[in-house]
Amino acid sequence: MKVGVVGMGLIGGSLVKAYNEHKDWEVYGYDIDTKIVKLAILAEDMADELNEKTIGDCDLIFVALYPKESIAYLEKMASYINKSSIVIDCCGTKAEVCKAGFELSEKYGFIFVGGHPMAGLHYSGYKYSSKDMFKNATMVLVPKTYDDITFLARVKEMLVPAGFNNVTVTTADKHDKMIAFTSQMAHIVSNAFIKSPTAREHKGFSAGSYKDLTRVAWLNENMWTELFLENKDHLLYELEFFIDELTKYRDAIKDNDAEELKKLLFEGKMCKEEVDG
């Protein structure tokens, strides 16, 4: 079996290394930075470069680029992809890339499945990638149809070398709605929170709660800008809800309204208990 990985940053590089651990898979990779490709081949992380000549031999192809770059790559390379190949993108939003992927797959005959590996670090680049990145993580899949159990079983089987312990199947819209809350909002809140002038004086006063809340403030501003704007409707809904809730806390504290503040805090505690079981 042969797998191609497009984009050898943190996610793509980790896929390269994970599949390379399984000797029944031969790995090919592409990155705009040719030095990374040469380094990976020299380190025996993969067999060779993924290009117009080798992509047609791949049974599985991961596209680990930003959404717009993923679409551009697929448009450029679609005619070279084998009709029996499964192509899975790894973008953080699904609506636009899945629309383009499904259209291209129908035109050129290969199989496209939207994908989102739910794993990562606040560092980026091939040097931080790891063969264990996806162990015990969830892979979200967005197929064109949801009633082909045999096909989904085949995709899940091909994902085994990555190490995912769970696969969630959903629609592009449901994915983007949920990611706005579980991921994108967390990055915005963390990034805004750390801007307080008080943050520069935190040493000696901070513990686990500070570290948990600020961990993802260190982000890739280019990637997240594109993801936020592509998912603006779902993200704006979550932002506006959050701002409304924060306003309630602010007003209760400003007015010395202990009963209202206690009620708000209790509601939040109960919500946490409910949603986490």
Side-chain angles (χ1 to χ4, degrees), residues 3 21 74 89 97 101 158 210:
V3 58
E21 286 290 298
L74 287 173
D89 83 280
V97 73
M158 296 183 88
Y210 169 84

Side-chain angles (χ1 to χ4, degrees), residues 140-167:
V140 180
L141 293 178
V142 179
K144 189 173 184 179
T145 59
Y146 304 89
D147 55 356
D148 192 337
I149 304 301
T150 302
F151 168 68
L152 288 173
R154 177 188 169 201
V155 174
K156 291 177 182 179
E157 181 66 26
M158 296 183 88
L159 289 172
V160 166
F164 297 106
N165 76 336
N166 184 52
V167 174

